[in-house]
Structures are given as C-alpha cells and as structure tokens.
Amino acid sequence: MVPHLITALTGPINELEQRILDSMPAIERWFRLEWMEHTPPLYSSVDIRNAGFKLAPVDTNLYPHGWNNLTQEMLPLGVQAAMAAIEKICPEAKNLLIIPENQTRNTFYLSNIAQLQRIFHGAGLNVRIGSIDPAIKKPTPVELPTGETVTLEPVVRSKRRLGLKNFDPCTILLNNDLSAGAPGILEDLHEQYLLPPLHAGWSVRRKSRHFQSYEEVAKRFGKMLGIDPWLINPMFNKCGEVDFQSDEGLETLRTNVDALLAKIRKKYKEYGINEKAFVVVKADASYGFGVMPVREAKDLDHLLKRGKGKGAPEVHDVIIQEGVLTAERMNEAVAEPVVYMMDRYVVGGFYRVHAERGDDEALNAPGAHYVPLAFTESTRMPQPGHKPGASAPNRFYMYGVIGRLAMLAASYELEATDPEAEVYA
C-alpha cells in the first residue's frame, strides 16, 4: 500500500527514485564498504518526509519506540537482523536484559517492549525486562491491551555487572533515551555490552551533530549517485543558546532563520518549486519545546510567546532546520513514513498519519495513528521496469536507502562522541 502523493508524479522525486533504482548494485556496494569501516547503531528509526520534490530524514531515533506498530510479517526480518547483530557483538550470549523507560503505566509503550522481547527471544536469547524505576521493588506483571503480560523486574547492581536476581546478562539493551541524564547504575559496566552506549543518550547527543554527519553522508552519496545532495538533505543552522525568558540570543535566532530561508528559496527557484519555503525551530537536545514551522523571521514572535511563562524552559540550544513538506496522504490525512532498522538492515516501518495536522507540521503528536508499511521480503527486491511511484517495493526501497543513510550518519555521530575513542585519539 502506497499512499498517493498530492504532488504530480513527475519532477525531481521521480527522477531521484529512478536514479536510485538504476543504481541499486552501486548503492548496495557503497553501503557494504561503509559498514566495513563503521559500526551501525544496534537499532534506530528514521522519520522521513516526502515533499514530492525532495525526500529527506527529519529525525533519527537511537532508542526507537513503536516496535509494536510493526506487523507480524515483519518479525522474521527483525529476528534475522537481531541474530546478525548479536553474533557480531557477543556471539556466546545467552541472556539479554532490556532496560525500558520508567513508564510502567503506559501499556502502549510496554507493548513496544513486548515486541522487542519477542524479536530477541526469536534470535535465540533468554530475554527479561529490568526496570531502573525505584518504584519497581518486586517482579511486577502488567497486562497489555493484547491480552499478553509483560513482567518488569527490579535490576540488581553488583560492583561491575547489572542484572536481575538469578539472571546474569551478557548484553543490556537500552530502550530509554536518557533525556534526564545517564543514571549511575548504568555506568562502568566493563564486563557487559550496553547497547546503545551511554553517549547515544540525549545527555550527550545533539541533533545538530547528527545532521552535520548526515550532510557529510549525503554529499558523498550524492557524488556517487550523480545527484544534488539537497534532494535528500534538509539544510540546517545551529543557533546556540537562546533564553526565551530574557530574550537573550533572539536576534541571532532571527538572523539565522532569515539566512536559512534565503538558501531554501534559492533552491526552490533553481528547481521551479512553487511552494513557500519554511524552517522549523526545535531544541538541539531531546524534545524541549515543540516543533514550529516558521515562514518569516517575524513568525518567531508566536514561538517566543509560547516559550515564556510558568514552566517554560529558561535556556535552549536551538537548531533551525529546513522544513520539508509531506505530500503523502492516507484517506486524505497527511502521512509520513517511519523506517525501522536493526544492525545494518531495514526491518519494517509504518506511516504516521495525522488527520488534524497540516503538511508543514510535525505529525508525532497526540492524535496520530499508525498504518504499517508493507515491508516484506520484496522490500529489498526492487522491481526494474516499473515506473517510479508505481510499485510499492520500489518506493519502499527508496525509503530504506534514506533510512540507512541516516543510520550511517548516526554511526559517524557516535564515533565522534565516543569518550573512549577520545582517550586514544
């Protein structure tokens, strides 16, 4: 199932899809060589926007939730990828411990944990769920809407290891983005594999660093493919600190917004695009304040009012990112594809659909629902000879390429922030 595009099925996006399909052997070889040099994150998900004239990632999550949105048909792909990942990391592994967010009452989130448990159990591991939530003092079963039960158990920390009572894992899988900081209980685990590593958490990670890495990847990929990297890359500016209470840094923010809008308008003119350019302003770390589309620097005034008042953030590192429209529709509601990966493989995904949002707004908001992408075995088998956009596998292959480019950028990013690498640099 491919949702229709409101943009005519001609122009840059179809030329890009055709170029990607024609270049599949070169693309796959390029990725193989990259993975020989760089280690992919254990798992990731990438939000992609298809504007009809541009296809680009707008967010990359290294602690992806939402695994419960993947269909049963996708599970074998996830199991195979999990087996490949564990074989590389800890081939003698028997036990895996999943550390979730401290969301013991959120059954939708815990359904995601249950799916991860199912995937890694299918990969041949004993899998249990260890909570670092102080409220979990004994094994706590939680019944899910599906009728199955997830049991949260309190973690036990020894001097050098983390586990459960009578359960000693080789590998610990974090599904907690550490936006509140890395807890000490997860530090100094020298005899266990903690995946993703602590420096992948939002206490260290910055969106600007990720998209700087992605820009480098897109340029190299674009050169290999003979395309303008802008077609797959959202431009951005890092603004630095903005204090919404005292207005400090606001003029710099306005100047950066104007400069980025000018660059986008120049590209729109080059490609004959009759859309109004916009940017989105968001916190550089984690979520902070919400994402807001800005078409003129004066539009920032509304954002600044939202940033003031009781409970508002005092200071934020801010990133300004090129806004990418979504031209995809599911039953007339705006939609965007989200691609899920494990190790270096695309394993599935879904369309995030929101009937109450516009094509320039973030769809990851209350009211969104999810329609599984038809990622099957044929996802990785494009169909030569089909017109661009006419074949689901062809369209999904293109999404998978963009997702893997973002995953590769994440591997660059993690290498650059690895504290142990800095010691030996």
Side-chain angles (χ1 to χ4, degrees):
M1 169 172 49
V2 179
H4 69 273
L5 295 175
I6 58 171
T7 307
L9 284 174
T10 57
I13 201 68
N14 273 5
E15 292 172 21
L16 174 63
E17 185 174 330
Q18 192 64 60
R19 182 68 62 91
I20 286 174
L21 293 173
D22 292 344
S23 306
M24 191 186 86
I27 290 172
E28 296 305 322
R29 176 181 181 273
W30 187 84
F31 275 121
R32 284 194 300 272
L33 294 174
E34 287 292 327
W35 297 132
M36 289 176 68
E37 300 291 330
H38 306 283
T39 302
L42 180 76
Y43 59 0
S44 56
S45 68
V46 178
D47 296 356
I48 296 173
R49 303 278 282 205
N50 183 353
F53 54 83
K54 178 175 184 136
L55 183 76
V58 293
D59 197 25
T60 301
N61 192 343
L62 299 185
Y63 299 89
H65 300 177
W67 289 89
N68 51 310
N69 291 315
L70 306 191
T71 64
Q72 290 299 313
E73 292 77 16
M74 300 175 193
L75 281 184
L77 293 174
V79 168
Q80 288 177 334
M83 291 175 72
I86 293 299
E87 191 175 307
K88 286 191 302 186
I89 296 161
C90 185
E92 71 276 16
K94 293 189 300 182
N95 298 334
L96 180 133
L97 182 67
I98 299 177
I99 305 286
E101 302 270 2
N102 295 343
Q103 298 184 30
T104 54
R105 298 184 185 277
N106 186 335
T107 55
F108 186 81
Y109 170 73
L110 291 177
S111 295
N112 147 77
I113 293 297
Q115 185 82 306
L116 281 171
Q117 187 174 25
R118 194 176 295 114
I119 289 170
F120 282 94
H121 178 73
L125 296 168
N126 300 312
V127 185
R128 287 166 67 179
I129 301 163
S131 177
I132 58 174
D133 186 343
I136 302 295
K137 300 184 185 303
K138 62 181 181 179
T140 305
V142 181
E143 188 170 342
L144 304 178
T146 58
E148 63 186 323
T149 299
V150 163
T151 300
L152 303 174
E153 302 181 66
V155 297
V156 176
R157 174 68 198 246
S158 65
K159 185 176 181 181
R160 297 175 70 82
R161 296 183 77 81
L162 185 71
L164 306 175
K165 184 178 180 181
N166 300 321
F167 186 78
D168 186 29
C170 161
T171 305
I172 299 167
L173 174 65
L174 271 180
N175 196 245
N176 181 325
D177 67 11
L178 307 179
S179 53
I185 198 169
L186 298 178
E187 295 178 342
D188 301 320
L189 298 175
H190 299 299
E191 299 174 2
Q192 290 170 303
Y193 295 93
L194 181 67
L195 301 167
L198 290 179
H199 64 277
W202 283 118
S203 53
V204 174
R205 196 170 178 233
R206 295 295 178 268
K207 295 171 186 173
S208 56
R209 187 181 288 121
H210 174 74
F211 282 101
Q212 183 178 8
S213 296
Y214 183 81
E215 184 174 51
E216 178 187 343
V217 168
K219 284 179 179 177
R220 293 179 52 241
F221 183 79
K223 184 176 181 181
M224 185 269 293
L225 214 59
I227 62 166
D228 180 352
W230 177 76
L231 294 172
I232 57 171
N233 178 40
M235 295 187 287
F236 77 96
N237 276 337
K238 177 173 165 50
C239 193
E241 288 190 353
V242 176
D243 189 330
F244 291 101
Q245 300 291 353
S246 69
D247 293 349
E248 185 178 342
L250 296 187
E251 278 309 308
T252 303
L253 178 60
R254 288 190 177 94
T255 300
N256 277 297
V257 164
D258 275 335
L260 187 54
L261 282 169
K263 289 170 70 176
I264 300 167
R265 289 174 188 136
K266 185 177 180 182
K267 277 294 183 183
Y268 278 21
K269 185 175 181 181
E270 178 184 340
Y271 283 94
I273 296 164
N274 296 316
E275 300 286 352
K276 192 167 177 65
F278 71 103
V279 298
V280 292
V281 178
K282 50 190 177 183
D284 200 11
S286 189
Y287 300 100
F289 53 88
V291 176
M292 179 188 172
V294 175
R295 287 183 161 78
E296 304 285 348
K298 65 180 186 326
D299 294 345
L300 286 169
D301 293 338
H302 177 63
L303 175 67
L304 302 179
K305 286 178 185 175
R306 278 189 2 194
K308 293 181 183 292
K310 186 177 179 181
E314 293 184 4
V315 178
H316 264 302
D317 282 330
V318 170
I319 178 175
I320 308 158
Q321 189 177 60
E322 175 185 356
V324 182
L325 295 167
T326 179
E328 308 214 39
R329 298 290 182 273
M330 295 286 289
N331 300 322
E332 305 307 317
V334 293
E336 66 186 8
V338 184
V339 174
Y340 277 63
M341 290 156 291
M342 192 170 288
D343 193 55
R344 57 197 177 101
Y345 304 104
V346 175
V347 297
F350 52 79
Y351 285 107
R352 183 183 288 121
V353 184
H354 205 305
E356 298 172 7
R357 291 271 168 141
D359 61 0
D360 62 347
E361 294 182 287
L363 306 187
N364 191 8
H369 68 279
Y370 307 94
V371 179
L373 279 163
F375 275 115
T376 63
E377 298 87 336
S378 59
T379 309
R380 306 271 300 173
M381 301 286 289
Q383 299 174 3
H386 282 238
K387 292 181 179 179
S391 160
N394 288 355
R395 174 60 47 83
F396 296 155
Y397 178 73
M398 183 168 66
Y399 293 161
V401 168
I402 299 300
R404 285 184 288 163
L405 290 174
M407 177 171 55
L408 178 60
S411 71
Y412 285 24
E413 175 194 357
L414 292 178
E415 288 167 9
T417 57
D418 184 349
E420 293 188 15
E422 291 176 5
V423 171
Y424 300 106

